[in-house]
Amino acid sequence: MLSDHYWKAFQGFLLWKWIDRKCHVPMYILMPEEKDVYNYYALLHLDQFLQEKGLLEAAVLTCDEEAIAALNLFFPIRNRAGSQIKAVHIRKGTAKKLLKYYALHEFTSRIAIVSLTEPYDTHGQNLLGLHGVDKEELVCRDIYRLQKKPEAAVPQYSGTDERIAAFLNRRKAQTDKNELQELKQR
């Protein structure tokens, strides 16, 4: 059992070396979950995160195909600093192996993991609703470690790509859910 964890971590090590050689960027954003609203907020505030770090390049490693489809909607329009964002589609198993390696050995500070439960559970979700904390603020403060939740322009889309529309609707669905919970509390 333990050897299985070490084997997956070793595979994660090999995958990391291959990805880093292939992309060769100063920052990686790992989104290990598919169809997660946290991925939306991670892309929405990625520009501010990179500005705070003083970086112009990053690679988004994700198994969320909708996030990859929507990436161009977030960056060329909003980005005035000339950042280059590479999108790398990885399988869920690949993401899990990278997380195993990171859990065993925090091998770099050049990776931000867009998850509140992987590789360590931060219990950040327990803060939801307390003093107005929402999922967007958790991404800004807990994952990106921004000092405050910056205002970001929400991208508009009127095209026909269903993947992009589904990705952008994650925020709307989350907002509708929050409003419903507020009405129930009254």
Side-chain angles (χ1 to χ4, degrees):
M1 180 75 174
L2 186 60
S3 63
D4 188 44
H5 290 290
Y6 282 124
W7 175 244
K8 287 181 181 172
F10 178 69
Q11 289 175 320
F13 164 77
L14 295 175
L15 287 165
W16 170 252
K17 292 297 183 188
W18 181 78
I19 289 169
D20 194 31
R21 226 174 291 134
K22 178 183 172 191
C23 296
H24 196 63
V25 293
M27 180 58 71
Y28 294 87
I29 311 300
L30 175 61
M31 299 179 182
E33 303 298 327
E34 294 178 88
K35 300 186 186 294
D36 194 356
V37 71
Y38 292 110
N39 294 348
Y40 172 85
Y41 290 124
L43 289 185
L44 185 65
H45 295 289
L46 181 55
D47 197 28
Q48 291 93 351
F49 174 66
L50 293 176
Q51 284 179 5
E52 191 166 294
K53 295 275 189 188
L55 302 173
L56 293 176
E57 290 181 285
V60 175
L61 310 173
T62 183
C63 49
D64 190 343
E65 291 181 19
E66 293 172 356
I68 290 174
L71 186 64
N72 288 334
L73 191 63
F74 283 83
F75 268 86
I77 296 168
R78 291 186 323 113
N79 193 352
R80 292 169 184 46
S83 296
Q84 286 190 315
I85 307 301
K86 297 177 184 179
V88 179
H89 184 266
I90 58 174
R91 293 188 323 255
K92 183 86 169 161
T94 301
K96 292 291 183 190
K97 289 173 185 172
L98 287 171
L99 290 169
K100 280 282 187 197
Y101 177 46
Y102 192 82
L104 181 67
H105 170 64
E106 292 184 18
F107 54 91
T108 185
S109 60
R110 299 183 309 133
I111 191 166
I113 300 170
V114 181
S115 174
L116 297 178
T117 57
E118 297 286 343
Y120 315 108
D121 192 350
T122 63
H123 301 287
Q125 295 211 3
N126 294 342
L127 298 173
L128 286 175
L130 295 175
H131 305 289
V133 173
D134 59 5
K135 291 183 177 187
E136 182 178 7
E137 190 154 359
L138 285 177
V139 168
C140 291
R141 292 181 179 261
D142 192 34
I143 295 170
Y144 283 162
R145 307 275 190 229
L146 300 174
Q147 296 299 318
K148 61 180 180 159
K149 179 174 86 173
E151 292 299 319
V154 176
Q156 301 298 317
Y157 181 68
S158 58
T160 59
D161 190 332
E162 292 178 9
R163 296 174 305 165
I164 296 174
F167 187 77
L168 295 177
N169 284 336
R170 292 180 193 177
R171 179 181 183 272
K172 183 182 180 320
Q174 183 62 42
T175 303
D176 293 346
K177 187 177 175 182
N178 290 346
E179 289 173 1
L180 183 63
Q181 285 177 348
E182 287 177 15
L183 288 173
K184 285 181 181 179
Q185 289 176 352
R186 289 181 191 167

